[in-house]
Structures are given as C-alpha cells and as structure tokens.
Amino acid sequence: MDTIDGLLGEADQAWRGYGVGSADRAALAADLRLDLRAAAADGGDPVQLLGGDVAGFARRLADEAGVRRVRSDYSRILGTALIGAMLGAVLGYGLLMAIYPVFVNLVDIPRSIEVPIQLAVAVYYGVPGAVVTVGAVIAVRTRLRELPRIRRTARMMTVLVPAAGIIITPITVGFAWSTGYSTAPPVVVAEIAMVLAALAGATVLARRLSLREHRVVSDAPHTVKPA
C-alpha cells in the first residue's frame, strides 16, 4: 500500500507539472490505483509495471486519456502583474499629486472638525491600493490575453488583490510604527517587500483558483498499459 501511495504521489506531481486539472488528476489516480492494486494482487511489482519512470508514465497516461492540459504560467502572470502594479502606482502617485491642491481648495474642512483616523488611513492606503489593483489587473488582462482562463484569473485578482491589501496594510503600518515610521532605506525596502509579497501571493492564488477544473473526465476507464 505504501508503495502504491508513493507511486500515485509521484504521478500526481507529474500531472500537476503537466497542466492536468484537479478533476482529471483525481480520475486518473483512481483508475491507476485500481490497476496497481490488481497488479499487486496478482503478484506483480507496481514499480516494474510503470517501467521505473513514473513521471513519464503519468504523462503518457494523461495523453492516452485525452485529458485537457492548461498551462499555469505562474511566473509570467506574476511578472506582468507586478509590472502593471508598479506602473499603476507611479501613474496614480502622479495623478494624486496633480489633483491634491485642487481637492484641498474644493474641500476646505474647518479645523474644528476632526477627521477620524480610520478614514484617514483608509484614504491614505486605500487609494494607492485601488490604483495598484487596477494596474495589475489591466496588465494581466491585456498583455496575456492569449493565455487560457486569463479572464477568470483577472476577475479573481479583482477580489483577492484588494483582500490581500486589507490584510497586509495593518501589518505594514504596525511594522512602520515599530520603527518609529522611519524612512531609512532598509525600512522602506522591507515595507515595499511586504506589499509586493501580498500582491504576489494574491496573484498566484487567483491563477490557481481560476485553473480549478469543475468538469470530470469521461467515465470510460483508463487502462494502464505496462511500459
């Protein structure tokens, strides 16, 4: 049993790298487990049945089953999202600096009125966060339009990237507070790294969720052919 589980684990890893969806991997693994158990019951060696090359056998089995492969392209999507986010941040900062004087003149709040700190923090961090999200989503959606399920990935990003921003904001603020709101280069770099890490995690998760298979493969059994 341990040998079969180990072989199935290696096969699943190979299917993941080969772009096989979760539903197809489950179906292939179920069929492969039955065949390996039958071979073991007949006194055969499951390792020899797969020819010693589990990854190669798994890929051939997926091809013979005719399952649909979808490339994840995590690195490409992540790089595009980060570039779009940085460009969006730069453009947003320039726009903010341009309209800030006009906004101040139009909205002259009396000194007797105290603006809640929560509102100030939400505006200070929320506006840049929104601009970064828009830049990342637009970059992924327009530059990588040829990738499968990229629209779904972009839609997931519109939800997950802001959520990541909400989570990372108090962490970043707490770190800044612990340093006395220092503007020293190492502190600033650390804060930027936190934000980029949150953006990267949300982007990868969005792509991962967008690639989830909701369909099932054919009910026809896949026969395991000895190598």
Side-chain angles (χ1 to χ4, degrees), residues 140-158:
V140 169
R141 180 66 184 85
T142 58
R143 298 293 297 176
L144 304 177
R145 62 172 65 93
E146 76 281 2
L147 294 183
R149 301 196 180 188
I150 199 63
R151 292 184 178 181
R152 187 177 179 186
T153 300
R155 289 196 298 269
M156 296 296 296
M157 288 176 62
T158 60

Side-chain angles (χ1 to χ4, degrees), residues 91-108:
L91 293 176
Y93 179 79
L95 180 63
L96 182 62
M97 292 298 99
I99 67 174
Y100 181 75
V102 178
F103 181 78
V104 171
N105 292 331
L106 291 177
V107 184
D108 187 11

Side-chain angles (χ1 to χ4, degrees), residues 85 88-89 92-93 96 121-135:
Y93 179 79
L96 182 62
V121 171
V123 173
Y124 185 79
Y125 289 98
V127 173
V131 174
V132 166
T133 300
V134 171

Side-chain angles (χ1 to χ4, degrees), residues 24 28 60-69 215 217 222:
D24 288 332
L28 290 171
R60 290 194 301 272
L61 184 61
D63 291 337
E64 293 173 2
V67 299
R68 182 183 177 185
R69 294 169 52 201
R215 63 184 179 84
V217 295
H222 309 303

Side-chain angles (χ1 to χ4, degrees), residues 180-192:
Y181 298 99
S182 172
T183 57
V187 175
V188 175
V189 169
E191 294 174 353
I192 294 176

Side-chain angles (χ1 to χ4, degrees), residues 150-184:
I150 199 63
R151 292 184 178 181
R152 187 177 179 186
T153 300
R155 289 196 298 269
M156 296 296 296
M157 288 176 62
T158 60
V159 176
L160 295 177
V161 172
I166 294 175
I167 294 173
I168 198 62
T169 294
I171 297 176
T172 306
V173 172
F175 175 76
W177 173 81
S178 67
T179 63
Y181 298 99
S182 172
T183 57

